[in-house]
Amino acid sequence: MPNNDIPTSIVIFGASGDLTRRKLIPSLFNLFRKGRLPKRLHIVGFGGTPFEDDQFQVHLREGLDQFAPYEFKEEEWRAFAPHISYHQGHYDVKSDFEKLDADLSARESGTANRLYYLAIPPSLFPEIIGLLGETGQVREDSGWRHVVIEKPFGTDLESARALNVQIHQVLGEDQIYRIDHYLGKETVQNILMFRFANTIFEPLWNRNYIDHVQITVAEKVDVGHRAGYYDGVGVLRDMFQNHLMQLLTLVAMEPPASFDADALRNEKVKVLRAIDPITPDEVASETVRAQYCGYCETEGVAPDSITPTYAALRFVIDNWRWKGVPFYLRSGKALAEKLTQIIIQFKEPPHTMFPLPPGKQMTPDMLVLYLHPDEGIHLRFEAKVPDTVAEMRSVDMEFHYADSFGLTAIPEAYERLLLDALQGDAALFTRADEVETAWGLIDPIIHAWEQTNEPPLASYDPGTWGPPAADELLARDGRAWLYGSDEHIHKK
Ligand code: BG6
């Protein structure tokens, strides 16, 4: 719990934007309702759009109606709203930052903590952090100063490195909170609990028992109104460099000695460094890129755009635990359903004593971590079909968050991350070396795609599971993607 006695200011740059209304304010309001925010709290929205304080509050209030995933109570809002004000300013004008500082200092009157949240386009990060530095707002001589930086952090390895250098001129690494909202998801954190708070799976969690791992982050939505941003970015930068690589590290990392931010992040970086980078020569065989039909007709997309909206990759991790175990990653827009899942497929039994019908093989056991929807974990194994001699069928042992904890127990990812940033716990934020190492794995693929035109850009119909080339990527290894459904994993 943050120190309740010290005044705390939260400054949101990009206050009139979508993220503020959709995620940040609903999360802060929910934390306030739960009594988890400092008592002497002040939230300042900073942006270019003119707003009076009360207009800004109404604007946020309307956002809550639309986006808050909980029941709204007017009296709670009336208690929360006076903590919010608005400061109109330009992101590149020093005097506007001086005014902001003066305004904050006047409200705080003395020692105070401050959290600056950069919910603005990445091109503005250096300028804003530079001006915070020039106006003395991130010096920690009377209270802490933390800065939350939204993704994308850079557009490639070079720009991420340059950005790290720029912001390190102003901020210490311990003041920087690079956000990846996937790490704020309960189900993602539960990967750590599942692996390291239990003993049953850890002895099996390696190349001796695991055949391969599949990580799927499928989205039903297409690029929609975000086309302007997305067309310059594509799926590897938007989803793989951050979210999918984070999921991979949590599945593959060694157990950290503690839940301390650096202990955890050291292990994540070690896994990323052990991944065998896909070389330009391997890009054609180890990666698939595709675009959904109709993408180029979207407003904001270049008519001849070759931006991929889908990718599938095969990574191998060169270490004792994982040598020879492929990690297949895929993500795309406009797919059949919104599904985030990690499948750990175990090896087939080395020998079967049971008679199998001709052509039928034993079905390997499987562990499925469902991150969305129907959050939970399934363990699939073989069971005897009653009233047969030796017929078998796969059955699931299931854990569902909704049943065990009640649906309301799953809060929005931003709640946890905002609270952690206020408490100075950076475990669920990405460190400079982590971001750069992840870029080092994604960058060569993007460059090879752009330079060699290999593999060719495939296409897929919206509402499907992506291009046939993605199935071929696994079929070559004698494997197949496993698709989700409400009840059970099934093959397409
Ligand atoms: C964002 C991407 O980081 O994550 C979006 O920029 C994507 O393109 C979103 O839609 C997916 O997040 P979630 O939490 O809905 O899986």
Side-chain angles (χ1 to χ4, degrees), residues 177-192 242-251 253 259 264-265 268 371 411-418 420 426-431 434-435:
Y177 291 76
R178 295 177 195 78
I179 210 163
D180 180 322
H181 78 279
Y182 266 56
L183 292 176
K185 291 179 189 254
E186 293 284 342
T187 47
V188 173
Q189 289 156 39
N190 192 43
I191 300 171
L192 292 173
N242 34 64
H243 309 325
L244 277 94
M245 295 313 283
Q246 286 296 330
L247 297 180
L248 183 152
T249 57
L250 296 178
V251 171
M253 71 198 269
F259 199 34
L264 189 78
R265 297 187 296 179
K268 286 164 71 191
L371 310 185
E412 171 57 56
Y414 279 89
E415 272 186 41
R416 169 68 189 263
L417 296 173
L418 280 161
D420 281 2
L428 299 177
F429 293 84
T430 37
R431 210 169 55 187
E434 197 178 348
V435 173

Side-chain angles (χ1 to χ4, degrees), residues 23 151 181-182 185 217 219 221 226 229-230 238-239 242-243 333 338 340:
K23 299 286 184 194
K151 70 168 262 281
H181 78 279
Y182 266 56
K185 291 179 189 254
V217 182
E219 293 188 272
V221 292
R226 293 175 76 230
Y229 150 80
Y230 193 89
D238 188 47
M239 297 297 286
N242 34 64
H243 309 325
K333 299 251 184 230
K338 178 155 174 73
T340 312

Side-chain angles (χ1 to χ4, degrees), residues 158-173:
E158 204 185 316
S159 58
R161 270 192 190 138
L163 186 55
N164 274 328
V165 168
Q166 280 174 314
I167 64 180
H168 282 150
Q169 285 166 3
V170 180
L171 300 166
E173 181 62 27

Side-chain angles (χ1 to χ4, degrees), residues 91-103:
Y91 298 123
D92 54 354
V93 176
K94 190 172 171 186
S95 57
D96 288 350
F97 279 66
E98 285 164 345
K99 273 190 227 139
L100 170 71
D101 189 36
D103 179 23

